[in-house]
């Protein structure tokens, strides 16, 4: 029994070491394509400005549960802003129903977003951030509609919708 335990423990340690680059151990390992942001605040100040769920998503690269955001089914005319710094990010003209359970867009407002390579959860994805404050918004995929072919799959909690 001791030999079996030793072999299982050794296999777990070796596997963890080999796979550690694919596991998201924390947001400090993710850097954005833009190193200096116009708006920077200490973590404690972000905590006072944002709700706990917004803080988890925008500042710690979290993800809200699918089908929980009312913005997923919002189709009125207007603009979607960053919930952290209120920078305009998307217009309602670029929103579409992707069926994923998160608000999706095919094109951001010019200059509104920055990108990160996200290697968490055993895959490589392109993470989308607000270009003004660096807040995590979601991910972009190459399976969207024309004219761009992109699907900007955003966390609703990271957005604020203002009707036109």
């Amino acid at each position: 029994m001791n030999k079996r335990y030793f072999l299982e423990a050794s296999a777990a340690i070796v596997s963890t070491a080999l796979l550690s680059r694919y596991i998201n151990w924390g947001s400090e390992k993710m850097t954005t394509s833009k190193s200096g942001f116009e708006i920077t605040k200490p973590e404690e100040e972000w905590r006072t400005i944002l709700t706990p769920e917004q803080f988890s998503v925008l500042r710690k690269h979290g993800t809200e549960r699918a089908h929980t955001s009312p913005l997923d089914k919002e189709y009125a005319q207007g603009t979607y802003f960053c919930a952290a710094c209120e920078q305009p990010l998307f217009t309602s003209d670029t929103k579409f129903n992707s069926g994923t359970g998160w608000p999706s867009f095919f094109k951001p407002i010019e200059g509104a977003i920055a990108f990160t390579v996200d290697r968490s959860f055993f895959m490589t994805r392109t993470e989308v951030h607000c270009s003004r404050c660096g807040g995590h918004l979601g991910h972009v995929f190459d399976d969207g509609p024309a004219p761009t072919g992109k699907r900007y799959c955003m966390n609703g909690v990271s957005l604020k919708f203002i009707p036109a």
Side-chain angles (χ1 to χ4, degrees):
M1 182 134 139
N2 287 337
K3 185 176 181 180
R4 175 180 283 174
Y5 174 77
F6 175 76
L7 291 173
E8 288 174 351
S10 297
I13 290 169
V14 170
S15 297
T16 301
L18 292 174
L19 296 174
S20 65
R21 67 175 283 197
Y22 299 105
I23 299 172
N24 180 11
W25 293 109
S27 61
E28 66 276 357
K29 292 189 179 186
M30 294 184 188
T31 58
T32 61
S33 59
K34 184 177 176 183
S35 58
F37 294 100
E38 179 184 339
I39 296 176
T40 58
K41 298 178 189 291
E43 186 171 301
E44 285 309 310
E45 189 173 344
W46 284 121
R47 284 186 190 278
T48 63
I49 294 169
L50 304 170
T51 68
E53 188 177 22
Q54 286 174 323
F55 182 81
S56 173
V57 171
L58 285 158
R59 308 314 309 169
K60 296 297 182 181
H61 307 270
T63 301
E64 70 185 351
R65 283 191 355 246
H67 306 286
T68 60
S69 173
L71 294 182
D72 182 36
K73 301 299 182 196
E74 177 63 64
Y75 290 103
Q77 290 296 306
T79 304
Y80 294 83
F81 294 81
C82 174
C85 73
E86 298 188 352
Q87 172 170 250
L89 301 170
F90 299 93
T91 63
S92 58
D93 296 340
T94 64
K95 188 169 190 292
F96 69 98
N97 185 0
S98 65
T100 61
W102 290 280
S104 296
F105 305 84
F106 62 80
K107 180 181 169 190
I109 293 173
E110 185 73 29
I113 61 170
F115 301 97
T116 298
V117 175
D118 177 359
R119 290 190 174 89
S120 62
F121 302 111
F122 307 101
M123 62 182 104
T124 300
R125 301 176 291 175
T126 302
E127 187 173 353
V128 178
H129 298 268
C130 172
S131 66
R132 185 186 287 168
C133 70
H136 167 74
L137 303 170
H139 293 86
V140 62
F141 303 95
D142 292 324
D143 60 0
T148 64
K150 301 289 185 188
R151 174 173 52 95
Y152 291 85
C153 190
M154 303 293 99
N155 288 287
V157 73
S158 68
L159 304 173
K160 177 181 175 182
F161 178 69
I162 306 290

